[in-house]
Amino acid sequence: MRLNDSAVEAAVRTAYADHRNDSGGRNAGYIPYLASVNPDLFGVCAMTADGALFEAGDTGFEFALESISKVFSMAWAMEQVGLETFQEKVGADPTGEPFNSVISVALHGDTPVSPLVNAGAMSTVSLIPGDNAEDRWEAILQVQSAFAGRRISLSDEVNDSEQSTNFHNRAIAWLLYSGGTMYSDPMEACDVYTRQCSTLVTARDLAAMGATIANKGINPLTGDRVVSAANIPAMLAEMTMEGMYTASGDWAYRVGLPGKSGVGGGILAIMPGKLAIAGFAPPLDEVGNSVKAQRAVAQVAAALGLSIYKASEYSD
């Protein structure tokens, strides 16, 4: 059953109004560009699986995609190598550690465990077929654009800021290489991963990217199939287990939707077959999730009675 447009619009506008003046959190300080973004920016969007858009606030502001990019490179790697190979080579388990943890890699024999932490995301990039880094980068940029329904661009400013501070990720890449779970040159994979995090999207774009997943891999704006419907359940499972970093279990318990956050301030949640909800606000909590965006996205989901764990959602 399709969601009522008036209900979705009311839920988005109410969540924006209720949380626009919330305080708390801080911009990510370890990446100079992110630290400089206006902390008062805030937007909320929802897009249904048939492409209807509802929005409030700063939904046209372009922000760094950051770790949400992991979902889309994961999708493309799954598409290219198959689900079984992907799970075998990258993993499908929560780490229980911060997204940039070296300890997690070391404890698991220099393997990444999950594609939605930095180690797994770099391993994922290295799995994408290509003769060199530029081939892999162009494939990732094209798939981000296909999910969004428009050409997504790299921000040189964000990329320069990240490339000059990504020493931690370089160390993780070499650990993966020593463990046999880096499938290309490790520094090339780290470079491409850094670039994929440095593209710019709006909350509208993020909602469209999520709606493509909700619509079984078909972009509702363009009508183009981006990924196979058969891969969507595995993508949603990965998002449920690790999408909100070490708060993923709490998010599943409270909200009940697969989600993904990024330190650029974006949050995406998906109700399969129905819609995606996107939020953006730069200040983050101690885990790395946007304070205002996660509250707003959770409120929209609750107002619409959405949860993948509610049996009523599977009956027409």
Side-chain angles (χ1 to χ4, degrees):
M1 182 180 297
R2 190 185 189 282
L3 291 166
N4 180 276
D5 285 355
S6 296
V8 179
E9 181 175 16
V12 168
R13 293 189 176 278
T14 300
Y16 173 75
D18 286 352
H19 296 289
R20 64 182 300 181
N21 295 318
D22 286 3
S23 59
R26 298 176 62 183
N27 288 30
Y30 56 92
I31 299 171
Y33 176 87
L34 300 183
S36 71
V37 177
N38 181 353
D40 295 326
L41 291 165
F42 176 44
V44 187
C45 271
M47 184 178 288
T48 61
D50 58 5
L53 175 67
F54 307 91
E55 58 187 321
D58 300 308
T59 56
F61 179 84
E62 291 189 320
F63 59 92
L65 186 56
E66 296 296 343
S67 281
I68 304 174
S69 68
K70 295 169 181 170
V71 172
F72 309 107
S73 54
M74 171 182 73
W76 192 240
M78 287 176 170
E79 197 78 6
Q80 297 303 300
V81 305
L83 293 179
E84 185 174 341
T85 297
F86 184 84
Q87 183 177 11
E88 176 188 344
K89 290 183 175 294
V90 180
D93 293 306
T95 68
E97 300 290 341
F99 61 88
N100 61 349
S101 174
V102 175
I103 292 174
S104 173
V105 178
L107 287 176
H108 292 94
D110 296 340
T111 62
V113 183
S114 167
L116 297 187
V117 295
N118 292 10
M122 288 187 284
S123 181
T124 296
V125 166
S126 74
L127 260 185
I128 293 174
D131 292 334
N132 51 49
E134 294 309 313
D135 285 350
R136 294 184 180 90
W137 163 238
E138 187 56 35
I140 289 170
L141 192 58
Q142 287 183 7
V143 81
Q144 286 188 13
S145 299
F147 270 101
R150 74 173 182 96
R151 181 67 176 176
I152 297 300
S153 298
L154 175 73
S155 166
D156 290 334
E157 185 178 3
V158 178
N159 187 49
D160 289 347
S161 185
E162 297 224 20
Q163 296 281 7
S164 65
T165 57
N166 69 352
F167 307 108
H168 195 92
N169 283 340
R170 295 182 210 177
I172 291 173
W174 280 115
L175 277 177
L176 296 174
Y177 183 75
S178 72
T181 52
M182 181 62 75
Y183 309 105
S184 72
D185 179 273
M187 292 301 94
E188 285 188 1
C190 183
D191 167 65
V192 174
Y193 166 68
T194 303
R195 281 190 260 177
Q196 80 173 36
C197 292
S198 302
T199 55
L200 296 180
V201 298
T202 66
R204 294 173 195 146
D205 293 329
L206 197 55
M209 296 166 100
T212 300
I213 299 172
N215 194 35
K216 300 179 181 179
I218 296 174
N219 186 303
L221 302 179
T222 66
D224 295 334
R225 175 164 292 286
V226 182
V227 291
S228 303
N231 291 348
I232 299 297
M235 292 169 58
L236 295 171
E238 296 279 14
M239 293 173 71
T240 298
M241 289 185 287
E242 191 71 73
M244 302 293 285
Y245 305 131
T246 53
S248 297
D250 182 62
W251 180 265
Y253 190 93
R254 293 186 301 107
V255 182
L257 296 181
K260 186 70 193 85
S261 62
V263 296
I267 293 213
L268 174 65
I270 297 165
M271 180 65 202
K274 294 194 180 288
L275 88 169
I277 311 165
F280 162 66
L284 312 176
D285 62 17
E286 65 280 359
V287 173
N289 298 326
S290 170
V291 172
K292 288 199 286 191
Q294 66 177 311
R295 291 174 183 169
V297 169
Q299 182 170 320
V300 172
L304 297 174
L306 301 179
S307 168
I308 63 171
Y309 306 115
K310 288 177 61 176
S312 62
E313 291 299 331
Y314 300 98
S315 59
D316 293 328

